[in-house]
Amino acid sequence: MKLIQLTDIHLTTPGQTIGGRDSNANFDRALAHALDHHPDAEAVIITGDLSDWGEKADYEHLSQRIAALPLPVYLCIGNHDDRPAFLSVFPELADEDGHVQRVVPLSAGDAFLIDTWGPDSHAGHYDAQRLAWLDKRLAAATRPVYLFMHHNPAPTHIAPMDRIMLLDADAFGDVVAAHRDKVAHIFHGHCHLPLAGSFRGIPTSSPRGTNHAGWANFAESKLLSASDLPESYAVIFADEGSVTVQMVEFGYTGDVRVEGSPDYADWDRQTMAR
């Protein structure tokens, strides 16, 4: 199974930029790059911050853009989003409780798309109602589960970022840990950083994002840090024995060089590029 994960696309009013970057154009570039290089992907999953200011026009633009794509696109919402505005454009994506949550069958398992949005907050939230939804569906799952969400459940150890992580991580962790044998991987966004680790024994990962980039400034205690690193998305490969996640920096404009052969017999000082 091959999936494309885009995150933190931050669509905004045409002509406006974020960190000097055109997020709408970068979203289009990410889609074009992914479809050109990975036409065999079975789906695109976008893990939140679909809009920069949670405006209905951004969701209308997103709806029109993904409708024209040759493969399905599945959506999570993040802290920059507005759930009521989002659902006014995508009403079919509400669960029975009004959250943006669903289970999507994939070739190698099921994608669980969960809703960590909370009003008037950049932090993530996952209340008792949502926990019950997740617990019920994990209990019923008979195939590997690939869990997609916006907010990071594990700390980054960057103080200002961890103030806006998933605040209900302990309760969320109790639910996923109870079904740890079923959950193959947790994919998130939010941090604008390439991250890999684990949460309650479950592997986690996140790419940088399709527009503005963060920076791991461990000395900063109050403000989030930004950088000019390239825009990116993730390519996910999964089968019954493994999950591999590659961060593709489609915003990189430098050279890609041939350095030599992977065959050991061909390694010598004359032929290896150094």
Side-chain angles (χ1 to χ4, degrees):
M1 177 177 73
K2 181 191 281 190
L3 305 172
I4 304 297
Q5 181 195 2
L6 274 59
T7 196
D8 297 274
I9 64 176
H10 286 265
L11 300 181
T12 192
T13 303
Q16 292 184 353
T17 60
I18 304 169
R21 304 184 188 194
D22 186 333
S23 60
N24 296 350
N26 281 329
F27 175 56
D28 287 341
R29 289 175 61 223
L31 287 174
H33 192 280
L35 292 173
D36 183 45
H37 290 83
H38 305 284
D40 56 337
E42 66 181 76
V44 173
I45 300 178
I46 310 179
T47 48
D49 282 359
L50 309 172
S51 168
D52 195 42
W53 292 101
E55 295 177 331
K56 183 177 180 180
D58 297 333
Y59 302 125
E60 291 172 337
H61 170 70
L62 176 62
S63 177
Q64 294 165 2
R65 186 68 182 87
I66 65 178
L69 297 179
L71 74 175
V73 178
Y74 303 114
L75 306 173
C76 300
I77 59 173
N79 52 289
H80 278 257
D81 291 304
D82 180 86
R83 189 193 288 138
F86 174 83
L87 289 176
S88 72
V89 178
F90 296 97
E92 72 280 5
L93 299 186
D95 69 9
E96 58 270 27
D97 301 314
H99 299 115
V100 183
Q101 304 197 127
R102 62 192 298 201
V103 176
V104 176
L106 301 170
S107 62
D110 294 325
F112 279 42
L113 314 178
I114 71 169
D115 179 343
T116 58
W117 181 85
D120 304 317
S121 173
H122 283 303
H125 303 270
Y126 211 66
D127 57 22
Q129 194 173 55
R130 281 175 274 188
L131 287 166
W133 180 97
L134 180 62
D135 188 45
K136 178 180 179 180
R137 281 152 184 81
L138 283 173
T142 58
R143 303 198 303 157
V145 171
Y146 304 93
L147 205 157
F148 291 84
M149 58 198 293
H150 181 68
H151 291 85
N152 52 304
T156 64
H157 302 282
I158 302 168
M161 178 59 68
D162 289 344
R163 286 203 295 273
I164 57 172
M165 63 178 283
L166 182 66
L167 299 185
D168 300 312
D170 288 342
F172 173 77
D174 289 343
V175 169
V176 296
H179 306 281
R180 187 167 60 192
D181 59 324
K182 298 181 180 182
V183 184
H185 202 95
I186 297 173
F187 303 92
H188 66 87
H190 185 51
C191 301
H192 294 256
L193 297 167
L195 295 169
S198 65
F199 176 71
R200 298 294 188 94
I202 300 167
T204 66
S205 64
S206 175
R208 184 178 295 127
T210 63
N211 194 64
H212 44 300
W215 184 262
N217 186 352
F218 297 99
E220 174 59 55
S221 61
K222 295 182 180 180
L223 301 176
L224 299 171
S225 298
S227 70
D228 293 322
L229 291 167
E231 302 88 353
S232 76
Y233 61 84
V235 183
I236 300 162
F237 301 86
D239 58 33
E240 63 181 15
S242 66
V243 175
T244 299
V245 185
Q246 293 270 10
M247 188 177 77
V248 177
E249 295 179 300
F250 71 92
Y252 173 69
T253 57
D255 294 333
V256 177
R257 298 176 296 277
V258 174
E259 288 192 323
S261 169
D263 296 321
Y264 186 82
D266 294 331
W267 287 22
D268 60 66
R269 290 178 182 270
Q270 285 72 42
T271 60
M272 292 295 290
R274 286 288 182 266

